[in-house]
């Protein structure tokens, strides 16, 4: 059955949560997602699911973040059902959420992840554009993707939505 990426609907919440647990094999990312949903940084237009029929098989979200005082977005968590890894579902989710963030006029997206994987989506190490990761030890893995509204003057410390600080 084909996989379709669309904006998350209220009936997708449980499926999105289940995908995060399955993708990571633990509750941490799903619990983070629960807390993000009720924080002021939640951005419904940037929460997407990948569905095979009615089943949620992937999920990605961006929430409000800041670089110094400039509003930006932080990506994550992103998860795909283990049986669909390597089949383009994660890439489709990434392209969708990045395109949506760009269309909303966001200047950049930050994330913590493997640079070897995320560079294919245009991510670069954050420090190369003057963005400082929330934790110094994250520097080799903290990346940003600049978007059309990017201003090179946006430099400084990156801060995720509040629930990330509790990890």
């Amino acid at each position: 059955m084909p996989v379709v990426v669309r904006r998350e609907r209220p009936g997708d919440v449980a499926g999105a949560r289940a995908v995060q647990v399955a993708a990571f094999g633990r509750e941490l990312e799903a619990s983070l997602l629960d807390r993000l949903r009720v924080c002021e940084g939640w951005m419904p237009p940037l929460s997407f699911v990948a569905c095979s029929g009615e089943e949620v098989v992937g999920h990605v979200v961006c929430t409000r973040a800041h670089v110094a005082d400039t509003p930006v977005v932080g990506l994550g968590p992103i998860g795909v059902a283990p049986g669909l890894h390597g089949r383009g579902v994660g890439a489709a989710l990434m392209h969708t959420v990045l395109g949506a963030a760009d269309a909303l006029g966001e200047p950049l997206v930050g994330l913590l992840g493997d640079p070897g994987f995320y560079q294919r989506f245009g991510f670069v190490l954050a420090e190369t554009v003057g963005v400082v990761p929330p934790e110094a030890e994250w520097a080799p893995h903290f990346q940003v993707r600049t978007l059309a509204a990017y201003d090179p003057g946006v430099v400084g410390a990156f801060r995720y939505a509040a629930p990330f600080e509790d990890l």
Side-chain angles (χ1 to χ4, degrees):
M1 185 171 286
V3 173
V4 174
V5 175
R6 61 170 170 75
R7 188 171 291 160
E8 179 187 290
R9 299 176 187 153
D12 298 325
V13 172
R17 188 181 199 292
V19 162
Q20 296 297 348
V21 172
F24 290 95
R26 61 186 184 186
E27 282 283 326
L28 178 68
E29 289 76 10
S31 294
L32 172 62
L33 182 58
D34 294 341
R35 291 189 311 273
L36 288 170
R37 287 183 190 287
V38 296
C39 84
E40 64 183 40
W42 183 252
M43 300 177 73
L46 295 179
S47 185
F48 293 92
V49 292
C51 295
S52 179
E54 295 299 314
E55 181 185 4
V56 175
V57 296
H59 177 259
V60 65
V61 65
C62 284
T63 52
R64 177 59 62 214
H66 290 84
V67 171
D69 292 327
T70 302
V72 300
V73 292
L75 192 148
I78 179 172
V80 174
L84 294 176
H85 287 183
R87 299 182 65 193
V89 176
L93 286 165
M94 284 296 294
H95 287 300
T96 301
V97 77
L98 291 173
D102 199 22
L104 290 172
E106 297 295 338
L108 66 81
V109 177
L111 66 75
L112 181 64
D114 177 7
F117 181 80
Y118 289 104
Q119 70 184 4
R120 75 181 84 184
F121 302 107
F123 283 87
V124 298
L125 289 178
E127 291 182 332
T128 64
V129 295
V131 176
V132 178
E135 302 286 337
E137 62 269 14
W138 293 4
H141 303 283
F142 191 73
Q143 303 155 73
V144 297
R145 165 68 149 70
T146 60
L147 303 172
Y150 173 68
D151 172 356
V154 175
V155 297
F158 187 97
R159 287 185 335 275
Y160 277 108
F164 281 91
E165 295 172 11
D166 299 330
L167 294 179

